[in-house]
Amino acid sequence: MLSVLSYGRLVARAVLGGLSQTDGRDYSLITASYGFGKDFRKGILKKGMCYGDDACFIARHKTADVLGVADGVGGWRDYGVDPSQFSATLMKTCERLVKEGRFTPSNPVGILTSGYYELLQNKVPLLGSSTACIVVLDRQSHRLHTCNLGDSGFLVVRGGEVVHRSDEQQHYFNTPFQLSIAPPGAEGVVLSDSPEAADSSSFDVQLGDIILTATDGLFDNMPDYMILQELKKLKTTNYDSILQTAQSIAKQAHDLAYDPNYMSPFAQFACDNGLNVRGGKPDDITVLLSIVAEYTD
């Protein structure tokens, strides 16, 4: 038999649980970005939020907060094409669509699809390829909607543990899924995936959840346990604290990328594919670090 006090506690827990499930507050993301272009000075953004051939955006609409990262495929440089142009234009286009309200929060693939097809229809020729990851927080439903094409991605951390993460998409080793625009006549030769092929997910988030969205320059050089160690330093939702942590994560990944004796996740993946590789992977690195907080105007 339950005592009156125990019964009261159970009722209180049930009420509190009900309130948490029907939280009427809007949520939002407090986000900071940091990164390194392997051919550019550390922490320096080119026009359009680009670190090297990486690009990103942070957009806010009345219904949602939206983040995106894209990694331009560097191989185009061999053909006289600047790889950053494609990724930067794709991210800027997606950002504009969000700010204009031309999207549905529950459908981030729609943002990517609309942005990509707008590039295809652009009168100014644009060549290149890029991976892409888009993350959308629906403020009222408290759900995170994501899509990821290729080997950029995201982690959601709660209580010091990874509770959600994106799935990497590779055709074969070091060849991720990618959106492409090929020169006329070469459409069947250049690797190109449909935006609808992006891996999608939707799930609830909680106040205080940490969301890390990044290009493969981070994930190829830092395993989850290292990232979690850095995230333990993040104690508040203060923007400066978030920026400092994003900077710390990006810097550690950058340092490891140039360590010839470090067995990076990329090197381990290469070994798993029969290649004798050791060391970090020099690459552009883009980190968007977010905390789920109560929305304030």
Side-chain angles (χ1 to χ4, degrees):
M1 179 180 295
L2 290 173
S3 69
V4 173
L5 180 59
S6 298
Y7 181 77
R9 285 174 178 165
L10 287 175
V11 172
R13 288 173 186 165
V15 171
L16 289 173
L19 288 175
S20 65
Q21 293 173 10
T22 58
D23 189 343
R25 296 172 294 179
D26 284 358
Y27 289 0
S28 67
L29 297 178
I30 303 174
T31 302
S33 68
Y34 203 85
F36 294 86
K38 63 178 180 288
D39 298 323
F40 299 91
R41 286 185 297 157
K42 61 183 180 181
I44 301 300
L45 284 170
K46 294 194 297 181
K47 185 177 180 181
M49 287 191 77
C50 298
Y51 298 102
D53 298 334
D54 288 356
C56 61
F57 75 90
I58 303 168
R60 172 170 284 197
H61 189 260
K62 62 184 179 181
T63 61
D65 290 334
V66 186
L67 313 172
V69 296
D71 179 3
V73 176
W76 283 93
R77 192 170 280 106
D78 296 338
Y79 301 93
V81 175
D82 180 355
S84 70
Q85 291 297 312
F86 186 92
S87 56
T89 305
L90 177 64
M91 291 292 94
K92 285 188 288 187
T93 303
C94 291
E95 179 182 15
R96 177 176 51 78
L97 292 171
V98 170
K99 290 183 174 180
E100 292 174 354
R102 296 165 56 191
F103 75 106
T104 302
S106 61
N107 184 25
V109 173
I111 300 173
L112 188 60
T113 301
S114 296
Y116 175 57
Y117 285 122
E118 190 167 311
L119 265 58
L120 288 173
Q121 297 166 7
N122 199 327
K123 294 180 180 179
V124 179
L126 178 69
L127 302 178
S129 304
S130 175
T131 66
C133 179
I134 293 180
V135 173
V136 183
L137 173 65
D138 187 314
R139 289 218 186 95
Q140 291 189 330
S141 71
H142 308 160
R143 287 185 69 78
L144 201 72
H145 304 281
T146 73
C147 73
N148 184 58
L149 185 82
D151 56 5
S152 294
F154 69 89
L155 300 176
V156 178
V157 177
R158 181 182 303 151
E161 297 182 354
V162 176
V163 294
H164 297 284
R165 71 169 302 138
S166 56
D167 290 326
E168 187 175 293
Q169 294 178 311
Q170 295 266 7
H171 288 286
Y172 41 88
F173 173 68
N174 207 26
T175 306
F177 282 35
Q178 55 201 263
L179 303 176
S180 300
I181 298 180
E187 290 83 0
V189 178
V190 174
L191 181 64
S192 183
D193 297 287
S194 165
E196 288 87 355
D199 182 70
S200 299
S201 63
S202 295
F203 45 84
D204 293 333
V205 292
Q206 300 176 10
L207 291 174
D209 281 357
I210 299 171
I211 302 167
L212 185 148
T213 311
T215 54
D216 67 320
L218 173 67
F219 299 118
D220 282 343
N221 287 297
M222 285 184 73
D224 286 0
Y225 80 88
M226 285 189 183
I227 295 173
L228 291 175
Q229 286 176 347
E230 291 298 311
L231 291 177
K232 288 179 182 177
K233 302 174 183 177
L234 185 56
K235 303 297 184 183
T236 72
T237 58
N238 177 275
Y239 172 80
D240 290 337
S241 178
I242 297 171
L243 176 59
Q244 184 177 3
T245 305
Q247 179 178 353
S248 177
I249 292 171
K251 184 179 186 305
Q252 184 169 346
H254 181 264
D255 291 344
L256 290 170
Y258 293 90
D259 183 346
N261 298 313
Y262 168 58
M263 193 63 176
S264 64
F266 177 80
Q268 184 61 59
F269 188 30
C271 291
D272 292 343
N273 281 269
L275 302 175
N276 185 17
V277 175
R278 190 171 182 84
K281 179 194 175 191
D283 202 354
D284 304 314
I285 297 167
T286 297
V287 174
L288 299 183
L289 185 59
S290 310
I291 290 186
V292 179
E294 185 176 355
Y295 174 74
T296 57
D297 290 321

